Amino acid sequence: MTDLTKLTMTGALEGLAKGEFTSVELTEAHVRAVEASRALNAYITETPDQAIAMAERADAQRAKGEAGPMNGLPIAVKDLFCTAGFQTTAGSHILEGFKPPYESTVTANLWRDGAVMLGKVNLDEFAMGSSNVTSYFGPVISPWSPGVLVQRDAAETDAGFLAEVTAAIRQPRPVQEWQWSRKLVPGGSSGGSAAAVAARCAMAATGTDTGGSIRQPASFVGIVGIKPTYGRCSRWGIVSFASSLDQAGPMTRTVADAALMLGSMCGYDPKDSTSVDMPVPDFKAALTGDIRGLKVGIPKEYRVDGMPAEIEKLWQQGIDWLRAAGAEPVEISLPHTKYALATYYIVAPAECSSNLARYDGVRFGLRVEGGDLKEMYENTRAEGFGAEVKRRIMIGTYVLSAGYYDAYYRKAQQVRTRIAQDFEEAFKLCDVILTPTAPSTAFEIGANMDDPIAMYLNDVFTVPASLAGLPGISVPAGLASDGLPLGLQILGRPFDEATVLKVAHVVENAADFTALPPFVSARY
C-alpha cells in the first residue's frame, strides 16, 4: 500500500487539482491495494483494466478543465448495482455470470461525475443478511479481525518466460500473507463495501440499505455510511430486495466524503416511479460545524434490555458532544419502536418473495434442466438460491397467502404507518434524533448462524427509520473494550440530509476517530 491509499476523497481531489499526482497513479495504488487485500474476500469482480481506462479519461477531462466533482476517484460498487458489460451477481449463484446490458442510474451518475470503478464488491445474497456470510461467493472478513502479517517463501511462475522457453521458475521470494487469530464479520448486507473502504482498497463504495445494511456495517468497521431519504436516489438498475425499503447510499471514511458522493448519487430519475423530483442540495456546504440551537431527540425506547453498558456510555458521550456544541438534547418517545423489527420481517420478506419470482431459469441467470417446465423452475431455484433467501421467500409467500394476508401483511403495513407517525410527532419536538447504530460490536463469522432471530436483532436500531423512509447516518465514535469500533446514528426529517450531515460532522470532529484496522496498520 502506498500513501495515496491513505487519502480521503476530499484530500485526493486537492492533490489532483494541485497536480501532485494523477488519477492514473491514484487508481494504480488502489488496484495494488485490492490485490493485497484479497484475503478479505471483499471483491467478487475486480476491474483493473476498466479502472485504468476510466482514470486516463478523468485525467484528460481535468487537463481540459472539465473535471466533475468525483473526477478520478477510485471507488467500489456493491454487486447489487447493474454495471453494463460487467458481471452483476447480487451475491447469488442464480445470477452468477449475468452481465447486464444497461447501467444503474446511481452508477451512471457517478461515472458522469468522473468516478473510477475498481470492481464489484461482495454482499449478503440479494442483500439479505446482517453479516455478509450468506453470499454464494463466501463470507467477507472484517479488516478489524485480529491477526498477524507473516512472510513465506513461494515460487512464482512467469507465464511470459514459460511461453518462450518451455519451463522456468523464478527464485523463491518472500510473500506477505495475513494469518487470522479470529475472523469477524464486517456487517451486512453491504459488508464488501464496508470492508473495502475500511481496508483502504477503495476510497469509497456504494451501498444499499433496506433495514440498516449501510449503517450497521459502517458501525462494525469504523467508517461513515448514510442512507438517504427513500426516493432521494434512483433504484433503477439496482437488483431489488424489498422495493418499498431499498435505498442506495455512500460508504466513506469521512462525513465530508459522504456529502460529496451523495451529491453525485442523488437526482430525479423518470425511470424510477419512486424517485422524487426535487433539487439536490450542496451537501458539503452544510458542513459548517454550527449546530447552535438545534434540538436533538433522545428516544427512550432505544434503551433496550441487555444493551452493553459501553454502548450506553458512548450514546451519553454523543449527547454531551452535541450539547457542548450548542445543541439542546430533548427526550422523545417513539412508542411503536418495539414492533418495528417484527413489522420489518413481515414486510421485507413479502416484497422479496414477489421480486425474486422472476428468477426462474427462463430468461436470464442460472438454468437447471428438469423433466418439464415446473421441474426446471424447482431445480433452478433450489440450486440457485441460498438458505437465507429461501427462508425469506417462504416467509413472504406465507404472509401474503390467502387466509394470512390480513392477519400478517396488512397488519404490518398498519403498524408501519404508526411507526412513521411516531417520527412525525417526534420531529415536532426536535431537529434530529441521536441513537446507537448497532446493539453490539462485530461478532465472529459463524456466530448466530443457527439462530436467525438473534441475527435479525442486529437491525434493532436501524429498522425503524427504514420503515419510515427517513435519512440516517452512522459515524464512528469510539472503540469498545474489545478494541472494535462503535458507531452513533443520526436520523433526520425526510429529505433533510443536510442537517443530518451537519450534525454528523460535529460528532465526527468531537470523536476524532483515527484508529486503523489491524489489517491496514500492519501494511502501512
Side-chain angles (χ1 to χ4, degrees):
M1 289 191 181
T2 70
D3 287 344
L4 292 180
T5 62
K6 295 181 179 180
L7 294 171
T8 63
M9 288 201 294
T10 50
L13 285 175
E14 291 176 7
L16 287 166
K18 294 176 182 177
E20 296 173 354
F21 48 84
T22 66
S23 174
V24 169
E25 291 170 332
L26 183 66
T27 300
E28 287 175 340
H30 283 86
V31 167
R32 290 192 294 272
V34 171
E35 294 169 350
S37 302
R38 286 177 180 155
L40 299 175
N41 197 33
Y43 282 80
I44 292 174
T45 303
E46 297 174 18
T47 58
D49 293 341
Q50 175 73 357
I52 298 302
M54 294 175 81
E56 290 172 346
R57 188 161 56 249
D59 283 334
Q61 289 172 331
R62 186 173 295 279
K64 292 188 292 185
E66 299 173 357
M70 293 280 293
N71 186 267
L73 301 177
I75 66 170
V77 177
K78 184 177 181 178
D79 204 16
L80 206 64
F81 293 78
C82 288
T83 44
F86 292 93
Q87 177 176 245
T88 300
T89 71
S92 179
H93 182 36
I94 209 163
L95 277 178
E96 186 178 10
F98 170 61
K99 294 181 179 180
Y102 52 87
E103 191 80 25
S104 78
T105 298
V106 164
T107 52
N109 289 348
L110 289 165
W111 312 149
R112 174 204 65 203
D113 286 350
V116 170
M117 182 172 74
L118 291 165
K120 308 291 289 295
V121 281
N122 210 341
L123 68 154
D124 281 302
E125 185 180 10
F126 282 102
M128 298 179 197
S130 302
S131 58
N132 214 149
V133 298
T134 70
S135 172
Y136 172 74
F137 301 94
V140 176
I141 301 171
S142 170
W144 284 89
S145 301
V148 293
L149 191 66
V150 298
Q151 293 194 7
R152 63 178 178 81
D153 287 335
E156 239 185 20
T157 298
D158 187 328
F161 187 58
L162 275 174
E164 288 181 22
V165 185
T166 54
I169 297 177
R170 289 181 179 174
Q171 292 299 311
R173 66 179 179 81
V175 175
Q176 288 187 333
E177 204 173 65
W178 187 263
Q179 290 187 352
W180 316 98
S181 56
R182 277 197 311 150
K183 293 182 180 179
L184 304 176
V185 304
S189 64
S190 306
S193 300
V197 176
R200 274 57 175 175
C201 56
M203 302 202 82
T206 63
T208 62
D209 193 309
T210 305
S213 290
I214 287 174
R215 291 162 288 160
Q216 182 251 26
S219 177
F220 275 14
V221 302
I223 64 171
V224 174
I226 181 168
K227 179 196 87 72
T229 309
Y230 182 81
R232 176 67 90 178
C233 288
S234 171
R235 293 188 302 107
W236 195 84
I238 301 175
V239 179
S240 296
F241 164 15
S243 299
S244 74
L245 294 160
D246 300 341
Q247 188 61 194
M251 304 182 75
T252 63
R253 293 205 291 273
T254 67
V255 174
D257 285 359
L260 169 70
M261 190 168 173
L262 183 62
S264 285
M265 294 175 68
C266 292
Y268 172 63
D269 181 8
K271 298 190 295 294
D272 175 10
S273 62
T274 64
S275 177
V276 177
D277 189 1
M278 62 188 305
V280 178
D282 182 353
F283 295 121
K284 285 197 70 176
L287 308 184
T288 62
D290 185 3
I291 62 168
R292 290 172 295 179
L294 286 183
K295 293 187 177 180
V296 180
I298 311 299
K300 60 184 181 182
E301 289 81 8
Y302 279 53
R303 289 187 166 88
V304 298
D305 292 338
M307 185 168 72
E310 57 192 353
I311 293 180
E312 176 80 37
K313 181 180 179 181
L314 183 68
W315 190 9
Q316 184 58 54
Q317 178 66 74
I319 295 169
D320 294 341
W321 285 332
L322 295 179
R323 182 187 286 113
E328 178 188 350
V330 295
E331 185 175 85
I332 59 170
S333 179
L334 300 169
H336 291 90
T337 293
K338 60 184 176 182
Y339 305 117
L341 212 55
T343 299
Y344 175 82
Y345 281 102
I346 291 173
V347 173
E351 294 185 11
C352 103
S353 71
S354 176
N355 279 325
L356 270 60
R358 72 192 71 178
Y359 304 107
D360 52 16
V362 175
R363 287 155 293 185
F364 50 81
L366 178 72
R367 174 183 292 194
V368 181
E369 299 294 348
D372 55 22
L373 185 65
K374 180 182 177 184
E375 190 174 304
M376 186 270 284
Y377 285 167
E378 292 172 345
N379 292 345
T380 298
R381 292 166 69 82
E383 184 174 324
F385 290 139
E388 181 62 25
V389 171
K390 291 174 183 175
R391 179 185 294 116
R392 298 199 194 193
I393 289 174
M394 288 189 290
I395 293 171
T397 303
Y398 179 81
V399 301
L400 290 175
S401 61
Y404 298 100
Y405 180 92
D406 288 336
Y408 291 100
Y409 185 71
R410 187 186 299 276
K411 181 65 70 177
Q413 291 289 22
Q414 291 170 341
V415 176
R416 181 180 184 177
T417 299
R418 294 293 183 90
I419 290 169
Q421 290 171 343
D422 284 351
F423 279 108
E424 288 177 13
E425 291 302 310
F427 280 120
K428 293 177 182 177
L429 303 174
C430 63
D431 300 291
V432 295
I433 295 171
L434 179 71
T435 78
T437 305
S440 70
T441 56
F443 46 88
E444 287 196 48
I445 291 176
N448 300 330
M449 289 301 292
D450 57 348
D451 187 353
I453 302 301
M455 188 72 78
Y456 297 165
L457 287 171
N458 282 286
D459 302 326
V460 65
F461 295 140
T462 54
V463 155
S466 294
L467 289 168
L470 301 176
I473 191 171
S474 179
V475 182
L479 295 175
S481 56
D482 57 6
L484 298 177
L486 290 170
L488 289 174
Q489 176 180 230
I490 298 106
L491 306 175
R493 296 187 178 95
F495 301 102
D496 192 15
E497 290 86 2
T499 302
V500 169
L501 287 161
K502 179 190 290 188
V503 175
H505 190 51
V506 171
V507 171
E508 176 183 58
N509 287 336
D512 192 24
F513 185 89
T514 57
L516 287 175
F519 188 82
V520 175
S521 58
R523 282 174 154 77
Y524 277 156

